[in-house]
Amino acid sequence: KKKITLSQEKDGLKVKGLDNPNGILLKLEPKFAKILPMGPVSVGTTWEVTTKDLEGELESQNEPQWDGKTVVKLSSLKDIASRRCAVLEVNSEAKMGDIPGFFKGAVRTTKGDFVVWLDRGYTLKATLKTSTRFINGKGEDVHISSSLEYEAAP
């Protein structure tokens, strides 16, 4: 049984405990790298990332800004098709202020997980469910749900 530590470095994700005792530095796309911890973590550890930390990475430039946080947990380490992977569980809640004539008090929650291949540093699988609620310009309660499932080709 090997112990693996993950840490966010300036230039990517540092993985220690694989075959290289000094660790390897993985270059990740910024939008994924920004949800990773700033230091080593073990299974069960949680950390928070604010929407401010993720600004410009997960939303389009024209989309109104959300204010909230995402709690990320290293839920497990497992082998998938002979690949050592980290499973990251994400839970997010963000709010947006009123936009007169369109909506009042939007709240968006997102839950899901990412499976990251530690040797290569890329996401093998992601499953996310998002729910958004707001009061529209007519005073009606609106609820929008969406799901995203991503799986890398073998």
Side-chain angles (χ1 to χ4, degrees), residues 54-103:
L54 300 173
E55 204 168 81
E57 296 297 335
L58 300 177
E59 299 171 348
S60 72
Q61 298 295 338
N62 298 326
E63 188 172 327
Q65 295 300 304
W66 293 87
D67 183 31
K69 68 178 181 178
T70 299
V71 177
V72 185
K73 177 181 179 181
L74 176 56
S75 60
S76 66
L77 296 171
K78 61 183 180 180
D79 292 319
I80 300 173
S82 300
R83 299 174 179 143
R84 192 65 172 160
C85 297
V87 179
L88 304 177
E89 181 181 305
V90 297
N91 288 287
S92 174
E93 182 174 295
K95 297 178 181 180
M96 183 188 301
D98 299 350
I99 296 181
F102 184 63
F103 68 77

Side-chain angles (χ1 to χ4, degrees), residues 108-111 128-132 143-148:
R108 179 173 66 190
T109 57
T110 302
K111 295 182 181 202
L128 298 170
K129 293 184 185 238
T130 300
S131 174
T132 305
H143 181 234
I144 302 170
S145 296
S146 63
S147 296
L148 166 75

Side-chain angles (χ1 to χ4, degrees), residues 1-153:
K1 193 172 189 181
K2 290 184 179 182
K3 181 179 178 180
I4 295 174
T5 60
L6 304 172
S7 63
Q8 176 67 43
E9 303 289 324
K10 180 181 173 188
D11 298 322
L13 175 66
K14 183 93 172 217
V15 180
K16 289 185 178 180
L18 297 171
D19 294 329
N20 184 338
N22 295 322
I24 55 174
L25 185 64
L26 305 173
K27 303 282 185 176
L28 301 176
E29 292 182 33
K31 63 184 170 187
F32 294 121
K34 288 187 176 185
I35 69 164
L36 297 172
M38 293 306 293
V41 298
S42 57
V43 172
T45 300
T46 62
W47 59 96
E48 289 185 7
V49 182
T50 68
T51 50
K52 184 96 170 144
D53 297 332
L54 300 173
E55 204 168 81
E57 296 297 335
L58 300 177
E59 299 171 348
S60 72
Q61 298 295 338
N62 298 326
E63 188 172 327
Q65 295 300 304
W66 293 87
D67 183 31
K69 68 178 181 178
T70 299
V71 177
V72 185
K73 177 181 179 181
L74 176 56
S75 60
S76 66
L77 296 171
K78 61 183 180 180
D79 292 319
I80 300 173
S82 300
R83 299 174 179 143
R84 192 65 172 160
C85 297
V87 179
L88 304 177
E89 181 181 305
V90 297
N91 288 287
S92 174
E93 182 174 295
K95 297 178 181 180
M96 183 188 301
D98 299 350
I99 296 181
F102 184 63
F103 68 77
K104 292 180 3 178
V107 176
R108 179 173 66 190
T109 57
T110 302
K111 295 182 181 202
D113 57 62
F114 289 89
V115 177
V116 179
W117 182 12
L118 295 173
D119 284 337
R120 299 287 183 259
Y122 63 80
T123 301
L124 293 178
K125 184 176 181 180
T127 305
L128 298 170
K129 293 184 185 238
T130 300
S131 174
T132 305
R133 291 193 78 159
F134 59 90
I135 305 298
N136 70 13
K138 298 178 183 177
E140 301 165 323
D141 187 17
V142 178
H143 181 234
I144 302 170
S145 296
S146 63
S147 296
L148 166 75
E149 290 191 24
Y150 163 83
E151 192 162 349

